[in-house]
Amino acid sequence: MSSTAEIGTLENEAIYILRETVAQFSRPVLLFSGGKDSITLVRLAQKAFYPSKIPFPLLHIDTGHNFPETIKFRDRLVEELGLQLIVRDVQSTIDAGTVEEEVGLYASRNMLQTKTLLDAIEEFKFDACIGGARRDEEKARSKERIFSVRDISGKWDEKSQRPELFDMLNGKIEAGQNVRVFPISNWTESDVWSFIGKEHIEVPSLYFAHKRLVFIRDQMILPVNDGVVFREEYERVEERVVRFRTIGDMTCTAAILSEAIDVDSVLEELRNVSTSERASRIDDKRRLHGLEERKRSGYF
């Protein structure tokens, strides 16, 4: 577990980045999934701009296959804090015929949300999209800058990124470009949980151990939702005590066996884990460089 001093240093850095984002860009937005990292960003933004309100909206790209617990939590948080929430649905992108619904064993809408996100950025002319990516999640994340430039088509090229020397953040972009901003890119999963514990932040119950109907495929524990998650007839449903290290589209988010029921026990569990939380993201396993390929096409 990170020390209070270490968390304080990371917190101050993130607050500085958020303030620089508002200072350097005209239409920033916070990309909100309802997961622990974006919830952490909301709290950091509250602290960065207190006593004023958070000076940018939240944007949620809803696949339509989110966990119900996540959507309920999102709506309650937005109402309690008086935040502006923009929701754009992948279903609308499918209905428009610009992306095609996947079918089959690992069918998911997770990759389809890239088009919906790029359309929303264009619709609202956002020039800075703040997100909760961390460098310990997946190898492709480590190539990001804090201000990570996307071209006029929303695509990412690691070779065109600028050096970031000391604390100097260069937000100058050309017309049509936008920047993805990563205030917690120096944080780890344990850092996020330590901050959540320090600040007494509520997170969706999915993150803590609970009984749930699941089935096993390719050594992964998948949630049962026959209207969303494809399941073969021979795949047996059983009740297990599980939790989710990461929360995404139900079709591509696996659970882990766990007895961690609160922040302290999650942190204790993480001390004995050697795999990244994205090891439970099925979409990352569909191809060798899956996340990096999606980032190049405009994925967050």
Side-chain angles (χ1 to χ4, degrees):
M1 183 173 64
S2 304
S3 69
T4 301
E6 290 170 333
I7 293 301
T9 299
L10 291 171
E11 179 182 330
N12 289 336
E13 178 187 53
I15 287 173
Y16 165 74
I17 293 166
L18 287 167
R19 289 172 176 168
E20 281 295 303
T21 301
V22 170
Q24 295 193 44
F25 297 96
S26 59
R27 296 188 65 82
V29 66
L30 194 157
L31 302 182
F32 188 81
S33 67
K36 65 183 183 306
D37 297 327
S38 56
I39 293 168
T40 292
L41 286 175
V42 169
R43 175 58 62 87
L44 289 166
Q46 284 182 289
K47 300 184 80 168
F49 302 106
Y50 181 83
S52 299
K53 290 186 176 181
I54 296 175
F56 39 73
L58 275 54
L59 171 64
H60 183 206
I61 303 301
D62 188 351
T63 66
H65 294 166
N66 296 100
F67 289 93
E69 297 97 320
T70 305
I71 299 301
K72 289 179 181 178
F73 182 92
R74 177 201 72 184
D75 292 344
R76 181 161 54 85
L77 180 71
V78 167
E79 182 178 1
E80 288 178 355
L81 299 184
L83 305 174
Q84 179 188 355
L85 174 67
I86 299 168
V87 179
R88 288 297 178 266
D89 302 300
V90 171
Q91 184 63 54
S92 298
T93 311
I94 295 171
D95 293 343
T98 52
V99 297
E100 185 175 346
E101 184 87 82
E102 294 182 357
V103 296
L105 195 64
Y106 285 114
S108 174
R109 290 183 174 181
N110 203 45
M111 290 197 293
L112 305 185
Q113 64 184 316
T114 296
K115 174 61 175 170
T116 311
L117 171 61
L118 294 177
D119 288 347
I121 292 172
E122 174 62 26
E123 177 185 355
F124 293 97
K125 306 300 180 187
F126 293 129
D127 54 0
C129 299
I130 304 163
R134 305 186 325 270
R135 288 179 178 147
D136 71 328
E137 289 180 274
E138 204 271 351
K139 291 179 180 178
R141 299 290 200 199
S142 66
K143 298 180 182 180
E144 295 277 17
R145 300 291 191 268
I146 293 173
F147 280 5
S148 184
V149 180
R150 264 54 173 182
D151 67 17
I152 195 169
S153 300
K155 296 181 178 180
W156 171 77
D157 178 4
E158 76 276 14
K159 295 179 181 179
S160 68
Q161 301 305 312
R162 306 150 177 176
E164 289 177 339
L165 307 176
F166 307 103
D167 293 328
M168 297 172 62
L169 301 175
N170 181 1
K172 185 177 181 180
I173 55 176
E174 303 294 334
Q177 290 182 326
N178 65 83
V179 166
R180 308 293 168 85
V181 179
F182 302 115
I184 61 172
S185 63
N186 283 334
W187 297 41
T188 65
E189 184 180 5
S190 293
D191 292 332
V192 170
W193 279 109
S194 295
F195 181 75
I196 288 169
K198 180 178 81 73
E199 295 286 317
H200 305 289
I201 301 172
E202 184 181 358
V203 295
S205 59
L206 292 161
Y207 281 115
F208 302 116
H210 59 286
K211 290 182 179 179
R212 195 177 197 93
L213 293 178
V214 298
F215 66 99
I216 312 298
R217 178 191 297 152
D218 296 336
Q219 300 181 326
M220 304 197 78
I221 304 171
L222 305 181
V224 173
N225 187 313
D226 289 339
V228 173
V229 182
F230 180 84
R231 180 170 56 87
E232 298 279 13
E233 291 184 4
Y234 64 82
E235 292 178 313
R236 182 169 58 91
V237 174
E238 53 189 297
E239 187 177 72
R240 295 282 192 96
V241 177
V242 301
R243 77 176 189 88
F244 294 86
R245 287 178 71 187
T246 178
I247 296 178
D249 189 299
M250 278 190 287
T251 59
C252 63
T253 305
I256 61 169
L257 297 175
S258 175
E259 297 180 357
I261 59 172
D262 55 25
V263 173
D264 288 340
S265 52
V266 167
L267 283 165
E268 181 61 33
E269 182 180 86
L270 291 177
R271 291 191 183 98
N272 301 308
V273 171
S274 59
T275 58
S276 162
E277 66 189 78
R278 290 198 72 92
S280 60
R281 292 297 292 269
I282 300 165
D283 48 328
D284 288 352
K285 300 178 182 297
R286 291 170 58 165
R287 53 180 61 90
L288 181 60
H289 302 293
L291 181 58
E292 185 157 340
E293 289 176 6
R294 280 177 284 149
K295 282 162 57 64
R296 292 185 191 283
S297 66
Y299 183 78
F300 177 62

